Amino acid sequence: MTAWNEDNEAAVSDSGSVTVLEGSSFCISSGTGDISPDAGTNGVFFQDTRIISRWMLRINGALREPLSAQRPQPFEATFVGRAKWPGGRFDSPLVVRQVRHIGPGLQDDISLENYAAEAVDCEIELLVDADQADLFEVKGGRTSGLDDTTRAITDGRLVIEASRHGQQRGTAVGARGAEVSADGLRFHVTVPARGKWSTSVIVVPLVNGEAPEEPFKEGRLPHHREGVRRHLDWEEGVPRISIEDSSFQNVLNRSQSDLGALRIFDAHHPNRAAVAAGAPWFMALFGRDSLLTSYMSLMVNPNLALGTLQTLAGIQGKKVDVDSEEEPGRIPHEVRLGVTAGLSLGGTAYYGTADATPLFVSTLGELSRWGLSRDAIQPLLPHADRALEWIEKYGDRDGDGFVEYLRPNDHGLVNQGWKDSWDGINFADGTIAEAPIALCEVQAYVYSAYLGRSLLAHWSGDSALEKHWADKAAAFKEEFNKKFWLPEKGYYAVALDKDKRPVDALTSNIGHCLWTGVVDEDKAVSVMENLMSPQMFTGWGIRTLASDMGAYNPVSYHNGSVWPHDTALVATGLMRYGFVDEAKRVASGILDAARHFDGRLPELFCGFDRGEYPGPVPYPTACSPQAWAAAAPVQLARILLRFDPVFTRGVVHLAPILPESVGTFRAENVLLDGSRVTIKATGTTGTIEGLPPGLKLLAGPRPPLAYPLEGAAAGVGTRRLP
């Protein structure tokens, strides 16, 4: 079993590296296109196995002089360089172009163009190796002993194979006209005067000797592949955004493109897309990350949330397994592809997370308000009920009503909330909290799950069940505010530890409590003031841990850094409780930070104050693109528009509070039910064109829903729902 706790942070990559990806396949190379065995984490990866660990192109005995590296699409890169002229001619007229496509293997289209008035003989060699290392071994730097590969020349291709984890993994490399040896491919060519030579090098991954169903093939254009068509369909289907603030428009467009690139598909359900956590190391389904990402990207395409829910439902826990931490009804933390294509049950699932299961129910409840058909949502209700059973039977370990976590083995995650590093949960003095641990935001998600199930019961016309879950949510909220509130500090404990002591550090987690609505109204102002204090708000975003806490470190993973998704959820919570100015300040800060990252927010960045440096300081191992960071600007746009469809009530709310700097905002092609609508907004005014029949536009923010809802039994006391 993988030591999951060792690998929850991304690996360090070369700052000049170029990453291309499609589904769970990806390639990390240098800016020249080469993959050096000394580069550590570089390589071509297929189904979590490194199928190329060396890929060095030499022309006339020398490496290329790099000129340009461009990535026009997530799955494609073009490298341009200058090759050495035989004899060492200065200012060589030999230009090398390498067009790379990733997918079910790799295709490199290599051309050599001669701009001289004379022909030239060239020796071209491509040095190849494939260590067949597991992704976790590469990421953790544990590949030094992997020297057990075998090499053979079969049907004009170099085949490199090794036994890995009980499976035979292999790589076949070939090209027309190549001289194949154990080291790679060689070409002896004459490039005509002002002419060109070209070839296509094909890499085919092998699992137990079998190639993927549709590998790259010479003569078949890469852009005709299914993965490319899916990406183009995604670009056609997302909102078309036009904003006076061009940098904001650039951020949103980049987010939409990255979300499309991070989709993964189940081979058994090819039309069902789920979202992976991030590139390059987390191109896999992660329960928490995928659910939060799909929630925050509802305005881009609600079908991404539906596909994520459907895929997670298919691998929901069925039995008790101490090794994988599977339990009946539990939603997995992470699913790796292992030796099977897609996301089928043959993959390896690890279930050690406390929050994915309640988030599953609350995301389904949210989705019901977006007008998806009953045929889509109804089959997921039994899975929601199984998730709720897990919360009460397995999640609540000691019967106190709260969900705790304690790993039952020595290889799982020590901390099983979103701050899952080993030192992520600590007291104000820096002392690390001991499990079982009940996190405040996990309880907030549980509260949201209860409310979501009540909303789903209303949607299906079951008033008794609707009341049951509404009453349960109200009682849970009351108990949470008793046990987690720290009156002397004016904020909530981040957790309760093994002795039920409140863990008293000031953290961003309490902002998630605002987001779900579990915070009592009389405590909200104090929570807001703490979140907006100089100790928490850097000017760019909200710190994960306040700067006056004992464990604070602005360059740590979870103890003082800024995570864009976390900040976006805090801003959503501030807006929910009516702290409009504060929500706008936080949203503006994180969007300003995005401009310093060329429009693409990374997974996290360092938690220094905005006044200390000209821009946000990057965190060295941050994933980019990363799913919930990509979704964060979309969520911020939604809260600035205060755009909220409630199909269960037949209304859609639009009450913009756009900063003056944004100017006019226009989003066409926004999917609502089966209709495509256009949202227009300036300042505090907005309109929606093309609303579905029966849906009424309300020019005000969505108020908390009241129980009983429409059609519920009369005479029942009022409950406030999200």
Side-chain angles (χ1 to χ4, degrees), residues 45-122:
F45 295 81
F46 175 79
Q47 290 189 7
D48 294 339
T49 299
R50 182 159 66 178
I51 60 170
I52 292 291
S53 54
R54 186 187 198 195
W55 193 260
M56 304 290 290
L57 182 64
R58 296 179 183 274
I59 299 171
N60 298 323
L63 298 174
R64 293 158 288 168
E65 177 187 2
L67 297 176
S68 173
Q70 300 176 4
R71 203 183 72 139
Q73 300 286 355
F75 48 81
E76 177 186 353
T78 298
F79 305 95
V80 182
R82 188 161 57 176
K84 178 183 177 182
W85 188 270
R89 172 177 171 177
F90 178 73
D91 199 22
S92 169
L94 279 174
V95 174
V96 188
R97 182 193 303 265
Q98 188 172 353
V99 179
R100 172 166 295 160
H101 285 82
I102 190 71
L106 184 82
Q107 177 170 332
D108 263 7
D109 297 326
I110 302 171
S111 64
L112 187 58
E113 192 158 2
N114 177 16
Y115 286 92
E118 58 188 290
V120 60
D121 294 330
C122 292

Side-chain angles (χ1 to χ4, degrees), residues 418-419 507-509 542-545 558-561 563 566:
W418 86 262
K419 295 178 180 176
T507 66
S508 60
N509 304 53
I542 303 294
R543 290 188 179 99
T544 46
L545 180 70
H558 286 134
N559 287 323
S561 54
W563 289 62
D566 184 41

Side-chain angles (χ1 to χ4, degrees), residues 239-547:
R240 294 187 291 273
I241 296 168
S242 175
I243 310 175
E244 245 182 291
D245 181 352
S246 59
S247 62
F248 189 12
Q249 178 176 320
N250 177 49
V251 170
L252 287 176
N253 285 335
R254 175 65 67 88
S255 288
Q256 292 188 151
S257 178
D258 285 345
L259 287 167
L262 292 170
R263 291 174 304 154
I264 49 180
F265 293 84
D266 186 341
H268 300 289
H269 301 278
N271 295 321
R272 177 187 298 174
V275 62
W281 300 110
F282 303 111
M283 286 306 298
L285 188 70
F286 279 68
R288 171 200 317 119
D289 301 53
S290 299
L291 286 165
L292 286 176
T293 298
S294 58
Y295 162 80
M296 290 191 291
S297 57
L298 282 168
M299 198 167 76
V300 172
N301 191 335
N303 288 315
L304 192 58
L306 178 62
T308 297
L309 287 163
Q310 290 170 330
T311 304
L312 288 170
I315 46 179
Q316 188 174 24
K318 295 179 175 62
K319 63 182 186 298
V320 174
D321 184 333
V322 172
D323 196 43
S324 68
E325 302 186 42
E326 179 181 0
E327 292 167 338
R330 196 175 198 180
I331 299 297
H333 166 66
E334 178 177 358
V335 182
R336 287 292 175 177
L337 299 183
V339 297
T340 60
L343 298 170
S344 61
L345 290 175
T348 301
Y350 170 64
Y351 289 79
T353 179
D355 48 16
T357 307
L359 282 170
F360 179 91
V361 185
S362 60
T363 303
L364 182 60
E366 179 76 11
L367 195 59
S368 72
R369 297 201 280 115
W370 282 72
L372 270 77
S373 70
R374 292 183 182 275
D375 290 343
I377 291 180
Q378 194 73 35
L380 292 169
L381 292 181
H383 296 278
D385 289 335
R386 290 182 60 214
L388 291 165
E389 289 172 8
W390 177 86
I391 288 171
E392 297 184 346
K393 182 175 180 180
Y394 295 97
D396 182 6
R397 303 172 57 87
D398 55 13
D400 68 344
F402 300 126
V403 170
E404 303 92 7
Y405 60 81
L406 172 68
R407 65 174 182 174
N409 50 54
D410 59 2
H411 54 247
L413 289 167
V414 172
N415 283 315
Q416 299 190 353
W418 86 262
K419 295 178 180 176
D420 55 7
S421 50
W422 67 273
D423 61 346
I425 308 300
N426 45 71
F427 287 85
D429 64 3
T431 304
I432 293 176
E434 295 183 52
I437 290 174
L439 292 169
C440 69
E441 82 273 15
V442 170
Q443 314 319 313
Y445 305 157
V446 170
Y447 172 71
S448 184
Y450 291 163
L451 292 175
R453 189 62 185 94
S454 181
L455 188 64
L456 288 163
H458 169 75
W459 171 82
S460 59
D462 190 335
S463 58
L465 192 63
E466 176 189 351
K467 179 182 183 302
H468 168 79
W469 289 110
D471 289 344
K472 193 170 182 65
F476 183 86
K477 178 175 181 176
E478 182 178 355
E479 192 66 14
F480 171 81
N481 279 274
K482 287 179 182 176
K483 296 294 176 61
F484 279 78
W485 181 246
L486 303 174
E488 71 284 2
K489 295 182 179 289
Y491 57 80
Y492 291 94
V494 64
L496 304 180
D497 76 351
K498 66 182 179 65
D499 299 316
K500 299 300 178 185
R501 292 185 303 160
V503 182
D504 60 349
L506 174 56
T507 66
S508 60
N509 304 53
I510 63 176
H512 294 226
C513 299
L514 285 175
W515 166 47
T516 69
V518 77
V519 173
D520 280 344
E521 293 284 347
D522 62 353
K523 300 175 176 64
V525 171
S526 182
V527 171
M528 176 273 291
E529 290 173 347
N530 275 285
L531 287 167
M532 297 303 298
S533 69
Q535 291 76 31
M536 286 296 287
F537 182 49
T538 69
W540 301 116
I542 303 294
R543 290 188 179 99
T544 46
L545 180 70
S547 60

